């Protein structure tokens, strides 16, 4: 009901040419200088088992600027880095996350259902699982320990990546109270941190309100209700918010376009665009979204985004911050506000050329009884880069039939 109501209201306001009011600006927002970031979503769930140390190491090595992770509360009051409220989708176990201790979660095989290019796949009898058994040691992965394929804790990730910015999403098991409980524990764990490269977000506004009350020194992204209010009517965002993390499209309406990004920047907020079923997670869409002048993209295929950045020679974050690209300067004309619900894909910026799609690589093959996958390192210039069967990831492979959505993304299928 909420999805349909918001979509209808959004269409009405756009059709009427509703003029939004300015939100309260955020002074000296450091995230406005971090353009353009590759924020590997769950470590890049189409290229590696989601929310595992293996995925995070791989993304960090290939050039990702920030890691996007999810946290759920465990039975012993710790924070597990896992997307769902249950372990069913990504591990070899079943049950609610909050029914297991952190030690039990670390022992699970979080690569059990991983299929390269398709994230987690359960119902396809032809699917290949090249990293299944890596957690137990039945499959060896060069440069990695079996523990890299279990469910890590938040402290595990922050300790392993002390110099890599991390975006932490507060999750819950469905009730508002579960989100509040996660927020309280997260605030306690970050209370004494000296890190200034963290952003905490959630779809649950009350959880963010509590988190900010307990840990006001940590930057936040806007919650779902706050974001919708800002998008529709320019409602000022809560204190502590530095970024707007939004889907590419919502109920057939393009959210991420130049006009919206420019408005957010004028109001002092960075814009981070996520996909997760709201738009194709491919090179062509990445290029279009870069053209809207966003500050970051959250891809499930971070290696593909790196290729697009290289092809476009996109300026990346540097110490001290990065000024807007020339085509993103504030005096440049912006795209007009959309006048209807079409198209569902982001509008490309004219100055950005359209890419030529590359053919997909061969599908991964079934590994041997003791497979060895390559370590996630950048090859030397003269190194043989021939893909290893079972570990190569197609550039733009077929998407799964069912796309898991989250938060305020509608139930409609992603655009083809």
């Amino acid at each position: 009901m909420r999805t349909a109501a918001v979509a209808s209201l959004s269409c009405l306001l756009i059709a009427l040419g509703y003029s939004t009011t300015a939100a309260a600006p955020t002074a000296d927002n450091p995230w406005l200088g971090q353009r353009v970031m590759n924020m590997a979503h769950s470590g890049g769930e189409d290229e590696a088992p989601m929310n595992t140390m293996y995925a995070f190491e791989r993304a960090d090595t290939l050039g990702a600027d920030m890691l996007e992770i999810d946290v759920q509360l465990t039975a012993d009051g710790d924070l597990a880095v896992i997307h769902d409220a249950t372990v069913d989708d990504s591990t070899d176990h079943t049950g609610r996350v909050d029914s297991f201790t952190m030690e039990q979660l670390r022992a699970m095989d979080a690569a059990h259902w991983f299929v390269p290019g398709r994230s987690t796949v359960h119902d396809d009898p032809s699917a290949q699982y090249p990293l299944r058994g890596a957690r137990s040691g039945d499959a060896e992965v060069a440069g990695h320990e079996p523990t890299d394929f279990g469910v890590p804790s938040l402290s595990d990730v922050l300790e392993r990546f002390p110099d890599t910015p991390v975006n932490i999403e507060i999750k819950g098991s469905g009730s508002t109270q579960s989100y509040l409980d996660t927020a309280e524990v997260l605030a306690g764990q970050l209370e004494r941190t000296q890190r200034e490269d963290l952003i905490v977000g959630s779809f649950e506004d009350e959880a963010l309100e509590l988190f900010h009350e307990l840990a006001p020194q940590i930057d936040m992204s806007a919650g779902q209700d706050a974001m919708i209010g800002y998008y529709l009517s320019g409602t000022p965002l809560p204190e502590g918010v530095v970024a707007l993390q939004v889907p590419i499209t919502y109920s057939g309406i393009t959210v991420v376009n130049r006009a919206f990004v420019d408005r957010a920047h004028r109001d002092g907020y960075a814009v981070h665009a996520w996909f997760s079923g709201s738009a194709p997670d491919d090179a062509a869409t990445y290029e279009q979204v870069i053209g809207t002048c966003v500050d970051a993209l959250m891809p499930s295929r971070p290696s593909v985004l790196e290729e697009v950045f290289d092809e476009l020679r996109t300026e990346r974050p540097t110490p001290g911050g990065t000024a807007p690209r020339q085509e993103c300067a504030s005096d440049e004309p912006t795209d007009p506000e959309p006048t209807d619900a079409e198209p569902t894909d982001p509008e490309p910026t004219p100055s950005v050329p359209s890419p030529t799609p590359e053919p997909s690589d061969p599908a991964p093959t079934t590994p041997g009884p003791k497979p060895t996958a390559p370590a996630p390192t950048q090859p030397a210039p003269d190194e043989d880069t021939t893909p290893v069967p079972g570990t190569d990831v197609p550039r733009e492979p077929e998407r799964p039939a069912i796309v898991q959505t989250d938060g305020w993304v509608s139930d409609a299928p992603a655009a083809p």
Side-chain angles (χ1 to χ4, degrees):
M1 291 295 292
R2 167 184 277 180
T3 295
V6 172
S8 299
L9 178 59
S10 180
C11 289
L12 177 62
L13 292 174
I14 291 172
L16 293 176
Y18 188 85
S19 176
T20 60
T21 59
T26 301
D28 301 323
N29 183 352
W31 298 97
L32 281 172
Q34 300 304 313
R35 302 179 175 97
V36 176
M37 292 194 298
N38 180 345
M39 296 174 63
H41 189 269
S42 296
E45 67 267 32
D46 278 6
E47 298 181 341
M50 63 189 305
N51 279 319
T52 60
M53 286 295 198
Y54 173 79
F56 299 143
E57 288 277 9
R58 179 183 180 279
D60 189 59
T61 299
L62 62 84
D65 306 289
M66 192 172 193
L67 302 175
E68 189 277 340
I69 69 175
D70 310 282
V71 292
Q72 296 270 7
L73 196 59
T74 68
D76 54 345
D78 205 344
L79 292 174
V81 177
I82 185 170
H83 183 279
D84 292 357
T86 72
V87 300
D88 301 35
D89 183 56
S90 58
T91 80
D92 57 342
H93 286 62
T94 59
R96 290 167 56 108
V97 175
D98 59 12
S99 68
F100 297 99
T101 65
M102 194 62 245
E103 182 178 1
Q104 291 172 322
L105 291 163
R106 285 194 183 98
M108 295 180 185
D109 184 353
H112 187 77
W113 295 110
F114 171 71
V115 174
R118 300 178 64 189
S119 191
T120 56
V121 178
H122 287 243
D123 300 322
D124 185 350
S126 65
Q128 307 292 330
Y129 302 97
L131 295 175
R132 179 174 287 183
R135 178 64 186 89
S136 63
D138 292 337
E140 294 181 353
V141 182
H144 287 273
E145 299 297 325
T147 52
D148 290 341
F149 298 90
V151 177
S153 69
L154 173 63
S155 59
D156 294 336
V157 174
L158 296 182
E159 289 173 9
R160 181 79 69 91
F161 300 95
D163 301 315
T164 302
V166 181
N167 188 89
I168 306 167
E169 183 177 340
I170 297 170
K171 292 287 192 179
S173 57
S175 67
T176 298
Q177 187 59 50
S178 67
Y179 284 83
L180 293 173
D181 292 341
T182 304
E184 183 175 3
V185 173
L186 177 61
Q189 290 199 10
L190 299 182
E191 182 180 11
R192 295 181 178 82
T193 184
Q194 299 300 310
R195 295 185 62 154
E196 298 180 348
D197 59 353
L198 306 177
I199 293 181
V200 170
S202 180
F203 290 102
E204 184 58 61
D205 293 70
E206 290 184 37
L208 289 173
E209 181 181 353
L210 175 61
F211 176 82
H212 183 65
E213 178 183 334
L214 299 175
Q217 78 281 10
I218 305 295
D219 291 332
M220 301 191 307
S221 61
Q224 174 174 298
D225 292 343
M227 181 62 246
I228 291 175
Y230 176 84
Y231 179 78
L232 294 181
S233 62
T235 303
L237 293 168
E239 182 181 352
V241 170
V242 297
L244 305 171
Q245 298 182 343
V246 293
I248 309 303
T249 64
Y250 172 65
S251 289
I253 297 172
T254 299
V255 176
V256 178
N257 58 28
R258 180 66 187 274
F260 173 75
V261 173
D262 280 353
R263 174 159 68 96
H265 286 169
R266 286 194 299 269
D267 292 339
Y269 302 105
V271 178
H272 302 160
W274 52 267
F275 298 81
S276 299
S278 73
D281 229 307
D282 57 28
T285 309
Y286 294 162
E287 187 165 334
Q288 291 174 358
V289 174
I290 292 169
T292 68
C293 297
V294 296
D295 303 276
L297 291 78
M298 298 185 189
S300 67
R301 298 170 185 159
S303 70
V304 176
L305 179 56
E306 286 296 311
E307 292 176 10
V308 174
F309 279 153
D310 289 344
E311 291 167 3
L312 299 178
R313 298 183 180 179
T314 304
E315 189 169 8
R316 306 299 293 281
T318 56
T322 305
R325 308 191 306 275
Q326 181 177 359
E327 66 270 23
C328 296
S330 59
D331 58 349
E332 289 290 320
T334 62
D335 296 332
E337 292 285 354
T339 57
D340 52 50
E342 297 293 338
T344 57
D345 288 337
E347 291 292 335
T349 296
S351 61
V352 181
S354 300
T356 301
E358 296 186 6
S360 299
D361 295 334
T365 57
T366 304
K370 194 79 167 180
T372 300
T377 56
Q378 296 282 34
D382 58 348
E383 184 179 343
D384 182 10
T385 58
T386 302
V388 177
T391 60
D392 55 313
V393 178
R395 179 180 173 89
E396 296 182 15
E398 177 187 357
R399 298 294 294 167
I402 300 176
V403 179
Q404 181 179 21
T405 59
D406 201 353
W408 58 302
V409 176
S410 70
D411 295 330

